[in-house]
Amino acid sequence: ERARGTARPEETAEEEILRQDNFRRAQDHFSRGLEIDADEADCNLGKGICLHSRGQDREALSFLARCVSLAEARGKPNPRGHYYFALALELQRGFQEKALEHYRKAVEQDALQAFTPLYSHLVKVLLVYVPFEDPQFRWFLDNMLSYGGDDRDYWESVEALAAKLAADSLEARRESGV
């Protein structure tokens, strides 16, 4: 998580190499944990996040899928697992519907509604994944507006989405934006 948090758009090549090295080292630690217990959900999640962050989404999918299936089998909510699984699925051709299902599960399982990366990402992709007319759009929008965090960037992106909707020619979209 620390390595993911250090990424910046204006990152130098040297900083990118250091960040990728952090992911590789973390991945090695998670791999050792999985050698001890292959059913450790957090190690599967960690290795999956590292692989995804290193651009190896196909490899990440198996670890992230295992993480969410272990959590579900144990009856434990895991919004982070569903979120990262959805991110990795999103980049695979033909899996966008499946990614949307896991974004929905992540929102449903985020009891505090404060997992900022999830809600920030949804603001960016909601109109891409869900047509405005689809009832799911309203469900996601309502949950995004119920976000319990205080991240300023998140709320600014929500404001930008609202402005985009408010500027639309369709009355229903304008009303939602307002």
Side-chain angles (χ1 to χ4, degrees):
E1 287 294 334
R2 279 192 308 250
R4 283 186 63 79
T6 61
R8 296 186 337 258
E10 67 279 350
E11 188 171 65
T12 67
E14 186 176 311
E15 290 169 329
E16 167 68 11
I17 290 169
L18 288 172
R19 192 168 56 80
Q20 289 298 320
D21 190 52
N22 285 339
F23 286 128
R24 186 196 50 74
R25 286 191 326 231
Q27 182 181 326
D28 290 343
H29 289 290
F30 288 120
S31 293
R32 283 194 294 279
L34 289 170
E35 288 173 7
I36 296 167
D37 183 0
D39 290 336
E40 171 51 50
D42 288 338
C43 284
N44 278 286
L45 175 62
K47 185 167 182 176
I49 290 171
C50 291
L51 287 165
H52 166 71
S53 298
R54 295 178 65 211
Q56 299 173 6
D57 291 302
R58 286 189 188 266
E59 294 84 358
L61 286 173
S62 63
F63 294 98
L64 296 168
R66 183 139 177 88
C67 168
V68 296
S69 68
L70 287 167
E72 287 178 8
R74 295 172 181 158
K76 294 184 177 183
N78 193 332
R80 290 174 66 232
H82 285 287
Y83 167 70
Y84 286 108
F85 189 38
L87 279 180
L89 283 168
E90 185 175 275
L91 299 173
Q92 304 303 307
R93 183 184 300 217
F95 285 97
Q96 287 69 32
E97 275 298 315
K98 188 121 176 104
L100 186 62
E101 289 174 30
H102 286 280
Y103 286 131
R104 185 179 187 100
K105 286 181 183 181
V107 170
E108 289 170 347
Q109 293 181 9
D110 184 24
L112 299 176
Q113 290 185 294
F115 182 37
T116 303
L118 167 64
Y119 296 95
S120 293
H121 188 70
L122 286 174
V123 170
K124 294 175 193 167
V125 301
L126 182 60
L127 283 170
V128 173
Y129 276 106
V130 186
F132 178 80
E133 298 75 22
D134 187 322
Q136 282 193 92
F137 182 88
R138 176 55 76 182
W139 183 89
F140 276 105
L141 183 62
D142 287 346
N143 278 283
M144 288 165 31
L145 294 174
S146 297
Y147 167 71
D150 61 358
D151 186 83
R152 183 177 199 71
D153 291 336
Y154 171 75
W155 288 112
E156 287 174 359
S157 64
V158 169
E159 185 177 2
L161 173 63
K164 182 177 181 177
L165 290 171
D168 198 280
S169 61
L170 293 173
E171 185 177 342
R173 284 181 180 231
R174 260 195 325 271
E175 288 177 15
S176 288
V178 171

